[in-house]
Amino acid sequence: MFTNMHLHHQNRHKLLFIPNTTSSSSCTFRTIDCESPEDGLTTPRCLPFKVDSPRNVSIITSFNGLVCVGIIEHDDNVEEEYYSDLVLWNPLTGEYRILSKTNAHKECYETITRASVLYYTSSEDDYKLLRVTNSCDAYIYSLKSDLWRKIESTENFHRWISKHCALLNGKLYFLKYDEAINKSHSVISLDLKTEKFTEVTTPFFRDSTICMGFTVLRGCIHVWMLHPSNYWWRKIELWRMDGDGDSWTKVVTCTNAACGWRVQPLHLMADGNWLMRYEERLCITDPNGPFKSTRVVTDMGAGIRRRGKYIETLVSPNQYMK
């Protein structure tokens, strides 16, 4: 009961990084508060599970304070890489659980998938992990049963579903990318109860736009979009989905973002500023400010590629163990 009360009062996000280290005997992580990033990074802490080196671990997805991490065992004789283990981990408490491979197909452990989402179903009181593979099959892991199963649905996942997704009110929203119709974009939703799919119209997607990610703000789905401009820099727009996608509203346009493809909004701060990734640096941008008004918070190096956003809770990955 206390864990649930604590969970429902948590809404402050943190970014978690796994930095490069020179020592192969220790792999650490650090965090930074998304609302006060200028306070700096926390002191490095060791990962509680065994990892040979930072390059062997990936932060896949997170939900309610649980972070899904993939661990790679490199094999020079194998062309395709697979995770040797998937781990559910609470960075605040240090608790973790290695997912069972019972009923798992080899595809469940692909290092590159079309989508990976951790979510909670209140009707079953269960945490689940959805992985959409490169062959467009979908598998769900149940934390309560510690088992995998393949989704048996009358409507398959679209072949060009992307990794960008968000969860709201029992539905997962994905970006659809379809080469068959001139590389256009749209959004599809998956009802987690019925496991049925619905396509949502998106009037703002064009061939030249790039989806930079989904986010949930104030109870609504929002999408970050990158638009080319006539100059060497580009503009980023934040759109809000109203209702079930019947209409969309452009919330804000940022025209002072620096150039480069390795630019990505990570968090919309309470004061209206954007926490951004600029190549290997963490920065704060005022979307309404003058051009090049971005402030650098810290240089993360290559470790910024191994990152994830989460909230600190007391939710245990071992809560269903007997």
Side-chain angles (χ1 to χ4, degrees):
M1 184 184 296
F2 178 78
T3 297
N4 288 332
M5 289 175 61
H6 180 267
L7 169 63
H8 290 115
H9 282 84
Q10 297 302 103
N11 59 6
R12 198 173 180 96
H13 288 87
K14 294 181 180 290
L15 281 175
L16 181 151
F17 301 90
I18 299 178
N20 287 341
T21 56
T22 55
S23 171
S24 60
S25 61
S26 99
C27 192
T28 62
F29 72 97
R30 306 179 74 179
T31 64
I32 194 167
D33 194 301
C34 291
E35 291 299 331
S36 55
E38 290 170 315
D39 290 345
L41 290 158
T42 58
T43 303
R45 288 173 284 170
C46 290
L47 294 174
F49 40 86
K50 187 179 183 303
V51 179
D52 293 333
S53 75
R55 72 187 186 97
N56 289 8
V57 60
S58 300
I59 299 171
I60 299 173
T61 182
S62 71
F63 187 73
N64 281 1
L66 295 179
V67 179
C68 181
V69 174
I71 300 174
I72 303 169
E73 285 186 2
H74 291 283
D75 187 343
D76 295 335
N77 298 319
V78 178
E79 289 186 8
E80 294 184 62
E81 282 188 331
Y82 289 85
Y83 293 123
S84 57
D85 281 304
L86 293 173
V87 180
L88 281 185
W89 164 49
N90 184 321
L92 179 64
T93 65
E95 283 190 280
Y96 70 92
R97 179 172 180 173
I98 299 175
L99 274 55
S100 167
K101 294 184 175 69
T102 304
N103 292 356
H105 191 275
K106 186 178 181 181
E107 286 183 315
C108 300
Y109 286 77
E110 289 177 344
T111 56
I112 299 175
T113 58
R114 296 189 181 273
S116 294
V117 188
L118 183 64
Y119 61 96
Y120 174 77
T121 56
S122 57
S123 60
E124 301 172 86
D125 182 29
D126 193 8
Y127 282 88
K128 296 185 178 183
L129 174 66
L130 168 70
R131 303 211 84 205
V132 185
T133 69
N134 285 316
S135 59
C136 300
D137 292 321
Y139 297 86
I140 293 178
Y141 166 83
S142 161
L143 184 60
K144 181 178 278 189
S145 67
D146 201 22
L147 296 173
W148 290 87
R149 69 178 177 88
K150 186 176 181 180
I151 284 185
E152 300 294 342
S153 177
T154 56
E155 185 176 355
N156 294 324
F157 274 89
H158 291 274
R159 175 160 295 277
W160 298 107
I161 191 171
S162 85
K163 63 181 179 180
H164 298 301
C165 56
L167 170 66
L168 182 66
N169 298 331
K171 291 183 179 180
L172 288 172
Y173 293 85
F174 300 87
L175 178 70
K176 173 188 168 186
Y177 174 80
D178 197 338
E179 285 188 338
I181 49 175
N182 300 322
K183 298 185 178 181
S184 63
H185 299 77
S186 61
V187 171
I188 58 173
S189 67
L190 167 64
D191 189 307
L192 296 173
K193 205 174 270 186
T194 63
E195 295 180 356
K196 302 295 183 184
F197 301 86
T198 305
E199 187 158 346
V200 178
T201 58
T202 53
F204 55 92
F205 284 120
R206 300 192 301 270
D207 292 350
S208 57
T209 59
I210 297 172
C211 178
M212 305 180 77
F214 280 71
T215 187
V216 177
L217 299 169
R218 303 176 189 92
C220 294
I221 295 290
H222 288 66
V223 183
W224 308 93
M225 298 301 304
L226 176 66
H227 294 269
S229 73
N230 295 327
Y231 304 95
W232 60 275
W233 47 274
R234 297 170 171 84
K235 65 178 180 179
I236 301 172
E237 296 177 348
L238 182 65
W239 287 75
R240 182 185 70 232
M241 186 180 78
D242 300 314
D244 290 327
D246 300 328
S247 63
W248 292 78
T249 303
K250 183 163 61 175
V251 178
V252 65
T253 299
C254 177
T255 57
N256 60 13
C259 67
W261 294 107
R262 289 183 293 176
V263 176
Q264 184 180 15
L266 301 177
H267 181 74
L268 178 60
M269 301 168 67
D271 60 7
N273 288 332
W274 294 4
L275 187 63
M276 306 275 290
R277 172 199 173 180
Y278 281 90
E279 297 186 340
E280 296 183 345
R281 292 166 294 174
L282 199 62
C283 304
I284 297 175
T285 293
D286 178 356
N288 301 310
F291 184 53
K292 293 186 177 180
S293 61
T294 296
R295 309 192 309 272
V296 176
V297 176
T298 184
D299 192 331
M300 289 300 304
I304 201 168
R305 301 167 199 163
R306 294 182 296 274
R307 69 175 188 275
K309 191 165 75 168
Y310 78 110
I311 57 174
E312 291 188 332
T313 73
L314 302 174
V315 174
S316 170
N318 298 310
Q319 58 186 289
Y320 302 116
M321 293 184 70
K322 297 180 181 179

